[in-house]
Amino acid sequence: MLIMLVRGLTLPGASKGLWFFFTPQWEKLANLKVWYAAVTQSFFSLSIGFGTLTTYSSYNKFRHNTNRDALIISFADTGTSLLAGTIIFSILGHLAHELDVDIEDVVKSGGGLAICELPRGSCQVHLLLLNCFAVLFFLMLITLGLGSAIG
């Protein structure tokens, strides 16, 4: 992810995407669907309620400091989400710059973003590096998918 971060930040138009990512849209905070999506994402990314955390915690000692572990996991999850968002929106800013459109019009959300648009936006390099990046990128997606499925 750090390699993709460096690559994304060096692309022309990346600042446009980062500006879109980090500029709050205050009027959307009144929408309950936004809060529902945020809570759903938090529960999904922290794996709350899936039983794996309870199973893993059963191996801890009785006096284990679970508050510290919860804080570490929460901050690591938030940092990873911010890192991933920075990567995605820098690449989307570059694609918006290339296509000369607004960021909202670059791509719709969903699987097409990860499978089609991110590799296209970040891989404007030598063909050998492009092939290596494609293999590493899809291995990363498979690893993330398996990690989400297992626990």
Side-chain angles (χ1 to χ4, degrees):
M1 286 182 78
L2 293 176
I3 293 170
M4 289 181 69
L5 175 69
V6 170
R7 179 64 184 146
L9 292 176
T10 59
L11 292 170
S15 60
K16 184 179 180 182
L18 293 176
W19 182 260
F20 183 81
F21 180 53
F22 288 111
T23 302
Q25 297 175 356
W26 299 109
E27 67 278 358
K28 292 197 176 183
L29 288 178
N31 188 349
L32 288 179
K33 289 182 180 181
V34 171
W35 288 98
Y36 177 76
V39 168
T40 303
Q41 176 61 33
S42 296
F43 274 59
F44 179 74
S45 68
L46 289 171
S47 301
I48 296 174
F50 293 126
T52 55
L53 292 178
T54 307
T55 303
Y56 290 150
S57 67
S58 68
Y59 294 106
N60 288 338
K61 295 178 183 172
F62 185 74
R63 300 272 183 223
H64 186 77
N65 189 358
T66 55
N67 291 334
R68 182 198 64 200
D69 291 349
L71 284 173
I72 290 170
I73 289 170
S74 298
F75 281 113
D77 180 62
T78 302
T80 305
S81 296
L82 286 172
L83 176 66
T86 303
I87 293 168
I88 289 168
F89 278 92
S90 65
I91 293 172
L92 288 178
H94 171 66
L95 290 174
H97 174 75
E98 272 192 346
L99 300 173
D100 198 29
V101 295
D102 289 333
I103 292 192
E104 297 93 0
D105 301 328
V106 173
V107 67
K108 300 291 182 206
S109 64
L113 178 65
I115 302 298
C116 301
E117 300 300 329
L118 290 180
R120 185 182 76 156
S122 61
C123 285
Q124 298 171 349
V125 292
H126 191 268
L127 185 60
L128 178 63
L129 291 176
L130 177 66
N131 291 335
C132 289
F133 178 79
V135 169
L136 290 174
F137 183 77
F138 288 110
L139 281 175
M140 179 190 72
L141 287 178
I142 289 171
T143 304
L144 289 171
L146 289 174
S148 295
I150 292 171

